[in-house]
Amino acid sequence: MRMTRLVAKTLREAPSDAEAISHQLLVRAGFIRRISSGIYSYLPLGLRVLRKIEGIVRQEFDATGAQEVLLPTVQPIELWEETNRTVTMNDVLMRVEIRGGKFVLGPTHEEAVIATVTQDLASYRDLPATVYQIQTKFRDEARPRFGLLRTREFIMADAYSFDPSQEAMRASYKALYGAYVKVFDRLGVEYYPVEADAGSIGGDVNHEFMVPAAIGEDYFALCRDCGYKANIEAARRSRDFAPGTDVVAPMSEIYTGETPTVDSAIAIISKTRPEITAAAMIKSIVLKDEKGALALALVPGDRKVRIPPGYKPFEREDFADYDFLNLGFVGPMGMAERGIRVIADYSIVAGKAWTSGANKKDFHVLDAEAMRDFEIDEFGDLVVVQDGDACPNCSASMELVRSVEAGHTFQLGLYYSEKIASARFSGEDGADSMYYMGCYGIGISRLPAVVAEVSHDNAGLIWPITVSPYQVHLVAIAYGRDAAAAAVADELYASLQSHGVEVLFDDRDLGPGVKLNDADLLGIPIQVVVGPKGVTAGVADLKLRASGAKSDVPLGEVVERCKTTIAELLEVVPWKVGGRGAEFEA
RNA sequence: CGGGGAGUGGCGCAGCGGCAGCGUACCUGGUUUGGGACCAGGGGGUCGGGGGUUCAAAUCCCCCCUCCCCGACCA
């Protein structure tokens, strides 16, 4: 492609509303343009990057035997009512009403894929099967931000596996997980498949594919010793807490006044008992399960609580219904007698003096001991993991890594099949059976931004060759001014193309500084510069964008050198950690 | 949805009661061509929208819209 013809203009300055570096660079380099909040157009360069990423996904998904389909963007709302997701996904659903009735723009496609394949996967003989699509989706995100990283309209590659049994589902999951590892290896960015929280879907194992990035909205816990890694919502810490050895005084009450938070209570209490810190306090969080039964979660006062599965936090208004629950002064004492289940973090050990709310407004208790002054029905992993916590596998210190979620694989099991009557096939015995499903999503349109976010420098973008819009950026210095040099450049351009090299040719009549700076901004991995000086000497300058390494190449060898350099760059997986990826327990 | 900030030419910004400006980008001519050159000329803006105050509003007041940031939310 000749840049004089290319629909894109580089900008010296990014729009002021572009906050994320990836957003700024992608706009400045002419890859994308913002149309509305969270809604973007792709210019030719940006689309080529998308196509490269899609191509990688297609290859790796196809290699597992998955088959590409295309599901509708506009879906009848009845499909969504069947799974109750008109309610559970209400906030992101975009509804449209047309003559034909009520519809939604698909934010995801579980319902649609089941409706699509049910008659074609009607027998156990048709299973297993995996289909996938690369589709535009729409979610009315509460807050689109960071350019392409969080948008309302986005492109996703989503695969769905259908199996006759849980074991078969696990095999399908493993195959797709393997494809994901290959896809991310080829994208050339550092990534970690981490254990993830199943969310409301439930299901067995699921993984998120996380790319560490300063702008990331997610965190995962990483143990560099044993390789344990889990999303912060799913991460656990070691349960190895020995009982304390304090000589615990009898429990006593203390008037603390209007101190409904841990910090405010400690501020008062520490005046008389300076040794008592937030960590020595029990934070009691009131929960309710699906049936409305109450439970109490106990965590140390300096930690954030991780709500155990099956429970929801009590709403502020709910407290009015229970006079023994004083918001801000709740404690575990006497809860067993009231039939309230007490679940404690493993760190709430006996033999230690705890401070707690006294279940009485404006009062706390001191020197409460677990098992002596209050019962614990059950222990759980109830705290949100933080930097320095001990790894649950090997007890080494873990760190939290800030990252962007780039992909997510789920074992859905029967979650949707149970809700959708048509999700059935005839089993070997002739009876109706439900599909065991898996779903696998990669944020295609998020990835150019993810790559840009982790692969750039002060001069601009640095594309891995696998996703770069072009492989070679041919820069002609003094094109239109120096006939001899221009002729050489034209010849090189034609020659590279005829050898199958994807080449962007800067044939613009601009000063050399502009063109070289633009080449760095666009970030194509191999730059070839030809100008009057070099042509006189019989050489072109070949520069690798990533390393900045330059070398003079005789004009007659440029094409060959480009081809071998491309091959070398394709050979390298720029980032690879030993043991990462392949191993996991499905 | 709560809090904060901003809307002036494609992009970045100044102007803050008295003729709508600068840089960049764009067009024409000329000089220049190995790291964002220079000279001369030129085109382009309902100053986010509506209402009000005023002899006069980009500027002051009211309402609305949009965008950005922080938070809440995030199968």
Side-chain angles (χ1 to χ4, degrees):
Chain A
M1 171 55 84
R2 286 176 177 267
M3 282 185 80
T4 47
R5 301 280 80 217
L6 181 70
V7 180
K9 211 174 279 294
T10 57
L11 271 51
R12 200 177 285 227
E13 286 179 282
S16 58
D17 60 16
E19 177 81 0
I21 297 163
S22 59
H23 187 193
Q24 295 174 7
L25 290 175
L26 288 170
V27 171
R28 281 223 293 136
F31 284 63
I32 59 170
R33 299 274 106 108
R34 194 182 71 82
I35 295 304
S36 180
S37 177
I39 298 181
Y40 290 82
S41 294
Y42 296 87
L43 292 171
L45 290 173
L47 183 61
R48 285 184 69 96
V49 173
L50 279 188
R51 293 286 185 249
K52 289 283 180 76
I53 294 168
E54 290 174 5
I56 291 171
V57 170
R58 281 200 175 89
Q59 279 183 15
E60 298 300 344
F61 278 19
D62 286 347
T64 69
Q67 299 167 57
E68 184 167 3
V69 296
L70 188 58
L71 304 168
T73 312
V74 178
Q75 306 170 10
I77 200 162
E78 289 79 10
L79 272 183
W80 286 76
E81 285 167 347
E82 197 170 354
T83 52
N84 198 37
R85 289 167 101 189
T86 46
V87 175
T88 56
M89 289 188 77
N90 181 53
D91 290 349
V92 299
L93 269 191
M94 176 165 171
R95 295 151 199 265
V96 287
E97 192 161 354
I98 51 179
R99 273 193 298 276
K102 292 182 175 175
F103 295 83
V104 302
L105 294 188
T108 173
H109 287 250
E110 283 81 4
E111 289 86 351
V113 75
I114 290 171
T116 301
V117 302
T118 178
Q119 63 173 311
D120 301 288
L121 300 178
S123 158
Y124 73 96
R125 296 169 196 273
D126 301 320
L127 302 177
T130 297
V131 297
Y132 74 93
Q133 63 162 347
I134 297 176
Q135 237 300 20
T136 295
K137 299 183 192 292
F138 192 95
R139 294 183 191 179
D140 190 9
E141 287 287 348
R143 183 141 97 86
R145 60 187 124 174
F146 304 141
L148 255 32
L149 284 171
R150 190 171 203 77
T151 56
R152 297 193 286 190
E153 183 180 292
F154 59 100
I155 301 168
M156 192 167 176
D158 45 328
Y160 303 90
S161 61
F162 297 86
D163 283 285
S165 68
Q166 185 157 31
E167 300 71 56
M169 172 188 77
R170 285 177 176 152
S172 293
Y173 185 85
K174 207 157 190 166
L176 266 296
Y177 180 95
Y180 264 57
V181 168
K182 288 178 180 160
V183 166
F184 281 92
D185 276 349
R186 290 174 66 180
L187 292 177
V189 294
E190 179 180 2
Y191 74 96
Y192 296 85
V194 310
E195 285 177 32
D197 184 45
S200 61
I201 272 188
D204 295 4
V205 179
N206 77 93
H207 292 89
E208 285 174 336
F209 284 71
M210 309 290 269
V211 177
I215 201 159
E217 297 184 84
D218 289 300
Y219 289 85
F220 68 90
L222 172 67
C223 173
R224 295 207 184 266
D225 272 30
C226 74
Y228 172 79
K229 40 198 177 295
N231 184 293
I232 190 160
E233 289 159 15
R236 293 169 287 113
R237 58 175 177 163
S238 169
R239 297 170 174 177
D240 191 13
F241 291 95
T245 55
D246 303 1
V247 177
V248 185
M251 184 169 78
S252 60
E253 267 188 9
I254 178 175
Y255 174 80
T256 50
E258 188 59 32
T259 54
T261 62
V262 169
D263 287 345
S264 59
I266 290 297
I268 300 292
I269 293 167
S270 61
K271 283 180 184 167
T272 47
R273 294 281 295 272
E275 80 281 9
I276 294 177
T277 62
M281 185 147 175
I282 288 177
K283 187 152 66 173
S284 304
I285 291 90
V286 188
L287 308 173
K288 56 184 173 186
D289 67 10
E290 288 95 348
K291 300 188 198 95
L294 300 193
L296 211 58
L298 310 184
V299 299
D302 61 340
R303 303 298 300 242
K304 280 175 78 172
V305 68
R306 189 165 73 103
I307 308 285
Y311 290 96
K312 280 185 171 169
F314 224 44
E315 304 293 338
R316 191 163 273 268
E317 308 85 77
D318 297 336
F319 281 88
D321 301 337
Y322 301 89
D323 56 4
F324 61 94
L325 294 177
N326 293 283
L327 181 58
F329 302 92
V330 177
M333 289 73 61
M335 288 299 160
E337 289 76 13
R338 297 181 188 274
I340 294 175
R341 191 167 182 75
V342 176
I343 311 168
D345 184 64
Y346 286 95
S347 59
I348 307 291
V349 292
K352 196 165 181 288
W354 293 98
T355 298
S356 161
N359 290 321
K360 199 162 123 188
K361 191 167 170 357
D362 297 347
F363 283 90
H364 282 79
V365 296
L366 305 175
D367 301 307
E369 185 183 0
M371 308 309 174
R372 185 190 72 181
D373 300 308
F374 59 90
E375 304 288 316
I376 292 174
D377 298 299
E378 180 187 343
F379 285 92
D381 297 299
L382 298 191
V383 305
V384 176
V385 164
Q386 65 187 34
D387 252 323
D389 277 351
C391 171
N393 290 345
C394 72
S395 291
S397 174
M398 296 187 289
E399 64 184 280
L400 285 189
V401 181
R402 189 171 187 173
S403 52
V404 176
E405 178 187 354
H408 203 159
T409 55
F410 277 98
Q411 293 184 26
L412 298 174
L414 301 176
Y415 186 83
Y416 288 98
S417 299
E418 283 168 346
K419 296 179 176 169
I420 300 179
S422 66
R424 304 285 185 277
F425 65 96
S426 299
E428 281 183 76
D429 57 1
D432 260 6
S433 298
M434 291 190 277
Y435 297 127
Y436 280 85
M437 290 179 65
C439 75
Y440 318 86
I442 294 185
I444 297 287
S445 55
R446 175 179 278 189
L447 280 166
V450 170
V451 174
E453 205 61 52
V454 299
S455 184
H456 66 267
D457 61 17
N458 287 338
L461 298 160
I462 303 175
W463 295 107
I465 195 151
T466 49
V467 299
S468 177
Y470 290 90
Q471 297 169 318
V472 170
H473 193 151
L474 177 63
V475 179
I477 304 292
Y479 192 85
R481 302 284 174 150
D482 183 304
V488 169
D490 281 334
E491 203 181 309
L492 265 179
Y493 177 51
S495 183
L496 283 164
Q497 282 187 311
S498 68
H499 281 80
V501 175
E502 299 168 10
V503 47
L504 179 65
F505 179 27
D506 191 349
D507 60 338
R508 298 174 300 172
D509 186 15
L510 291 170
V514 177
K515 300 175 80 161
L516 292 170
N517 278 317
D518 273 354
D520 286 345
L521 176 61
L522 298 199
I524 292 164
I526 302 169
Q527 297 176 8
V528 174
V529 182
V530 287
K533 280 186 190 172
V535 166
T536 307
V539 296
D541 184 38
L542 188 147
K543 175 181 151 183
L544 297 181
R545 176 64 180 89
S547 66
K550 289 186 188 179
S551 51
D552 285 339
V553 179
L555 290 172
E557 297 170 21
V558 170
V559 173
E560 202 48 42
R561 271 292 290 278
C562 283
K563 288 178 70 176
T564 57
T565 305
I566 290 166
E568 285 166 21
L569 291 174
L570 282 170
E571 199 60 30
V572 179
V573 175
W575 200 84
K576 189 78 185 168
V577 159
R580 196 182 81 254
E583 89 309 331
F584 78 95
E585 298 302 320

